[in-house]
Amino acid sequence: MGEQLRRHHATESPRLQLLHAEQVVPMSERPVQALRTRRQSSMRLALDLVRDGQADACVSGGNTGALMAMAKVVLRTLPGVERPALVATLPTLGGEPVYLLDLGANVACDSETLFQFAVMGSVLAECVGKRAQPRLALLNVGAEEIKGNDQVQQAAQLLQSTPQLNYRGFIEGDGIFTGAVDVIVCDGFVGNITLKASEGIARLLVQQLKQGIQGNILARMLGWMLKRRLSRFNRQMNPDQYNGASLLGLRGIVVKSHGHADEAAFLRAIEEAMVEVQRQVPRRIKDRLESVLLDKS
Amino acid sequence: MGEQLRRHHATESPRLQLLHAEQVVPMSERPVQALRTRRQSSMRLALDLVRDGQADACVSGGNTGALMAMAKVVLRTLPGVERPALVATLPTLGGEPVYLLDLGANVACDSETLFQFAVMGSVLAECVGKRAQPRLALLNVGAEEIKGNDQVQQAAQLLQSTPQLNYRGFIEGDGIFTGAVDVIVCDGFVGNITLKASEGIARLLVQQLKQGIQGNILARMLGWMLKRRLSRFNRQMNPDQYNGASLLGLRGIVVKSHGHADEAAFLRAIEEAMVEVQRQVPRRIKDRLESVLLDKS
């Protein structure tokens, strides 16, 4: 690491401070285990610095589960937030990316938690995504009011009775990528599987297209033309690699970058963290939740 | 309808019998409503014929919810089956399609129901998909044993203790399309959203590619070459349009075809029903469930 920094003349930078970390969190390690035994890992030390106000944000490319567990314990959730949520943007037909949460921080969520996710996602879309009154939807198996399981049914009732949120109702799986709304809320089980399935289908389509344009020289030239667009698309379909996935609902800013992110991708994660610092996202989420819950009580 | 049949000289066919149906089930009608008020619809009459042994199978392009509700009441589920499941095949990188269920018949499933889906899906993959000892997986947010919600955790335990099933463990969203397994089980909420999200992302990728290949003549030629593959791919990504989605677990055979299916697509749905009749799928599911549950008790 020090090696790398020297090579980029970063060690001379007055804005950069290098702290030594004794431990490493293995990618395969269980969150609980990492939480208990990796107090000297760079991940943990970074979160400690954020908690102590010596750093404004933590950007990590490490073990996602461990990062979420440590962040929750070290930084703690904001008042009114039961669980932090992992959020990222996905590309849409409309061009404007859509915010999808939760992407896997919580495998089971009750309606209250989904409601909190809706508030957090709306705040992020508003102050980072620059959307005025972000259009909000719940991911469901149908657009009709009667559709869905108990959690989404009850969450819908909570959202309908919250004028501060621009709730537009249910949206189906194919609606994620149309750009019809700015923020889509679901539990982490559905969100994680949906995101990964989308990555999988994109890979499948790319393979089938390549098969379709093999053979003659003309086809190969055309294949080359496709390549650039496809690689760009694959980056977009891999949000944490594309622009970082934020962990929302904490008393501090944490951005998860992909473990295999290249320089440009990691830079985007850092930039995301910077904007969230400038826009004071945690404070805004806290304020919005307070005003919303105040109206409800 | 009679008009159409005459035009195809079908009315003279001794193998074809035309029954008049007074009512129509509107696409927007609630299942309960249709169940109560559409006893003279072609959908209901067809199911009645299957129940009474006058028809071997029912193929419908109508209101899916209504079809599932009517089928469950008219045909009833097989012994050992709590709920019927909607199943279809999806394309994979390996080439061999994968069976995914449930695709939306049940928005909430306990571990017992997921276990029953696993048995039903395995039987279908075996006797219709011609897979010897179909490789079976549960859709989850991670491949590690500790991952997932209570339902999949408990379902995994049930499957691990069932030697008659070739259970391979958990599979993630992107694993659906790799061809690593033959049958993937999830609840209808996750299955429906995953399927529709995959359709949505395919449309998005197609749009981005088209944008990428506009302009010069070379590009337009590429666009033309892509077109055929893309349309084929889209058909595959729309299972009920591609080959019909089967409603499993009933005391009769019901295949759902897409409402906008063309002649070729509807023919595939009929062929799917024919094969299920020849292979006696309902009886095989009943027998397999009996032997599996017998071993458990």
Side-chain angles (χ1 to χ4, degrees), chain A residues 29-42:
Chain A
E29 188 162 68
R30 293 189 180 195
V32 223
Q33 182 73 3
L35 187 61
R36 214 183 303 112
T37 65
R38 308 292 178 182
R39 296 171 188 279
Q40 291 307 312
S41 61
S42 61

Side-chain angles (χ1 to χ4, degrees), chain B:
Chain B
M1 185 60 172
E3 190 64 40
Q4 289 288 328
L5 292 167
R6 261 188 298 283
R7 202 156 53 70
H8 295 82
H9 312 291
T11 45
E12 298 103 60
S13 166
R15 301 173 50 233
L16 199 69
Q17 195 184 342
L18 192 56
L19 291 177
H20 184 61
E22 293 290 340
Q23 293 178 300
V24 174
V25 179
M27 282 311 224
S28 59
E29 188 162 68
R30 293 188 179 197
V32 221
Q33 182 72 4
L35 186 61
R36 214 181 306 112
T37 65
R38 308 293 176 180
R39 295 171 188 279
Q40 291 307 311
S41 62
S42 61
M43 185 185 282
R44 176 61 180 264
L45 293 177
L47 291 168
D48 290 342
L49 289 172
V50 173
R51 177 199 58 204
D52 302 340
Q54 294 176 56
D56 290 322
C58 163
V59 178
S60 171
N63 180 326
T64 308
L67 179 65
M68 293 190 298
M70 283 186 185
K72 194 176 175 188
V73 170
V74 174
L75 298 178
R76 294 179 21 255
T77 57
L78 290 162
V81 177
E82 286 159 61
R83 301 139 160 234
L86 198 62
V87 60
T89 57
L90 292 176
T92 71
L93 289 163
E96 281 287 299
V98 61
Y99 287 83
L100 180 66
L101 73 162
D102 172 30
L103 293 178
N106 314 278
V107 292
C109 302
D110 60 17
S111 55
E112 297 282 340
T113 309
L114 292 174
F115 177 78
Q116 291 159 19
F117 291 172
V119 175
M120 300 195 295
S122 296
V123 170
L124 191 68
E126 196 176 313
C127 56
V128 174
K130 298 209 176 73
R131 319 285 172 93
Q133 301 182 307
R135 297 158 300 169
L136 174 74
L138 282 169
L139 192 57
N140 198 357
V141 296
E144 307 83 0
E145 279 195 358
I146 52 158
K147 290 290 185 78
N149 55 28
D150 297 346
Q151 299 91 294
V152 294
Q153 280 290 322
Q154 290 159 17
Q157 289 173 12
L158 289 172
L159 291 167
Q160 275 155 359
S161 63
T162 310
Q164 297 104 313
L165 295 174
N166 185 5
Y167 176 62
R168 298 301 184 91
F170 296 136
I171 197 164
E172 297 189 68
D174 53 350
I176 297 173
F177 305 99
T178 58
V181 295
D182 301 298
V183 181
I184 298 175
V185 172
C186 60
D187 68 52
F189 193 82
V190 173
N192 177 284
I193 289 171
T194 302
L195 179 65
K196 288 182 177 161
S198 302
E199 293 171 18
I201 199 68
R203 271 197 295 279
L204 175 62
L205 182 47
V206 168
Q207 178 221 41
Q208 298 218 345
L209 289 176
K210 282 178 179 165
Q211 285 175 354
I213 57 178
Q214 267 160 17
N216 63 55
I217 176 70
L218 186 67
R220 279 200 294 281
M221 289 174 69
L222 169 62
W224 175 80
M225 290 175 69
L226 284 180
K227 225 170 164 124
R228 289 205 318 284
R229 292 203 71 80
L230 289 177
S231 61
R232 174 165 153 270
F233 184 82
N234 286 338
R235 267 206 316 282
Q236 290 179 315
M237 276 320 303
N238 212 334
D240 54 359
Q241 187 160 12
Y242 178 56
N243 58 2
S246 303
L247 203 50
L248 291 182
L250 298 164
R251 300 168 190 251
I253 291 160
V254 179
V255 175
K256 172 67 174 63
S257 174
H258 195 279
H260 303 104
D262 58 17
E263 281 180 22
F266 201 83
L267 176 61
R268 285 193 213 90
I270 294 172
E271 286 168 344
E272 170 69 24
M274 278 174 56
V275 177
E276 291 186 24
V277 171
Q278 287 155 3
R279 306 273 200 280
Q280 300 179 285
V281 170
R283 191 181 59 68
R284 284 166 182 262
I285 289 175
K286 175 174 161 296
D287 295 350
R288 183 69 59 88
L289 267 170
E290 271 173 8
S291 70
V292 165
L293 298 175
L294 208 65
D295 274 32
K296 288 214 167 301
S297 59

Side-chain angles (χ1 to χ4, degrees), chain A residues 224-235:
Chain A
W224 172 83
M225 291 175 63
L226 266 183
K227 234 176 158 151
R228 293 204 316 285
R229 290 203 71 78
L230 289 177
S231 62
R232 173 165 155 271
F233 184 83
N234 286 338
R235 268 207 315 282

